Amino acid sequence: KLYGTTEQGGANGQGVLYEYDPGTFTYQELYDFDGTDGGGPNGALLPDAGILYGTARQGGSNGVGVLYSYDPGADTYTSRHDFDFSDGANPESDLALISGKLYGTTPQGGNSFQGVLFEYDLGTNAYQVLLNMQQVNASNPQGGLLVSGGLLYGLTSSPGKVYSYEISTATFTPLVNFLGADQGRAPRGRFLEYAGKLYGTTEYGGLYDGG
């Protein structure tokens, strides 16, 4: 079965989590967001041990998004963390999973409101900010995180960077600085790793400033 979300629509206009069975061509709404528990889900769902994890960029107790889980077997939705702006806001990227911990980013919130890199421990339900982007002269992380070789790889849009983050040493390393023009600017979207190389896109820049 396929699982996904829509950013709008549903019974409350705040988006839905749905299931599609390719074998029977059957579509089913599993959960309607109502704003208090999140709204505008964005980013891909991440499965682990029969549970789906995701983020909603709006709603929650502080109105700036939630980290949630959904158990298809038990039909149970759980708000795992309500962002409060000081620890991140408006999450919209894909999550990554390493050793029972979820990793993600928010494009806003945190110190100086420039976004954060965060960790959520599934065993203890503990949330913590690993990095405020203003600490490393970057802002507005975009796209999903990629796990490779024990490192997290990600993007920031302003200024445009490809970076790696080593969790054990809390080390942020800029790998590419997009300079506009032929190099592109405002990297977005999801990384792909193939044969030891990372591939991605930019929203603007290039010869025609079209990415």
Side-chain angles (χ1 to χ4, degrees):
K1 296 179 181 179
L2 304 178
Y3 294 89
T5 60
T6 69
E7 194 170 5
Q8 300 174 5
N12 306 300
Q14 299 285 332
V16 304
L17 191 153
Y18 65 84
E19 171 190 276
Y20 180 77
D21 188 332
T24 61
F25 306 106
T26 302
Y27 172 92
Q28 180 182 2
E29 289 184 17
L30 298 177
Y31 188 77
D32 287 275
F33 292 87
D34 66 11
T36 62
D37 55 7
N42 211 319
L45 293 168
L46 176 68
D48 180 58
I51 308 296
L52 303 174
Y53 297 93
T55 58
R57 67 184 311 273
Q58 301 167 355
S61 60
N62 302 301
V64 292
V66 303
L67 172 69
Y68 67 85
S69 65
Y70 179 79
D71 184 340
D75 188 25
T76 302
Y77 175 94
T78 304
S79 293
R80 295 280 184 147
H81 179 73
D82 288 87
F83 294 91
D84 68 8
F85 214 89
S86 66
D87 63 9
N90 309 120
E92 57 184 26
S93 68
D94 301 348
L95 299 168
L97 177 68
I98 304 176
S99 301
K101 296 179 180 180
L102 298 175
Y103 296 90
T105 61
T106 71
Q108 282 92 39
N111 292 348
S112 301
F113 319 126
Q114 294 177 15
V116 305
L117 172 68
F118 66 82
E119 173 189 273
Y120 180 83
D121 190 320
L122 294 174
T124 63
N125 297 318
Y127 174 95
Q128 67 170 321
V129 173
L130 298 180
L131 181 70
N132 281 280
M133 288 299 165
Q134 55 85 23
Q135 297 173 239
V136 291
N137 298 315
S139 64
N140 306 120
Q142 301 286 345
L145 292 170
L146 172 71
V147 180
S148 180
L151 298 175
L152 294 171
Y153 292 90
L155 304 169
T156 65
S157 67
S158 179
K161 294 179 185 288
V162 178
Y163 67 86
S164 67
Y165 184 82
E166 186 171 356
I167 300 167
S168 61
T169 61
T171 302
F172 176 96
T173 304
L175 303 174
V176 177
N177 291 301
F178 290 94
L179 303 176
D182 291 345
Q183 272 201 325
R185 58 190 177 91
R188 294 181 68 90
R190 184 183 306 180
F191 276 135
L192 169 69
E193 181 185 13
Y194 178 72
K197 297 180 180 179
L198 301 178
Y199 295 86
T201 59
T202 68
E203 190 171 12
Y204 302 107
L207 184 60
Y208 304 105
D209 201 30

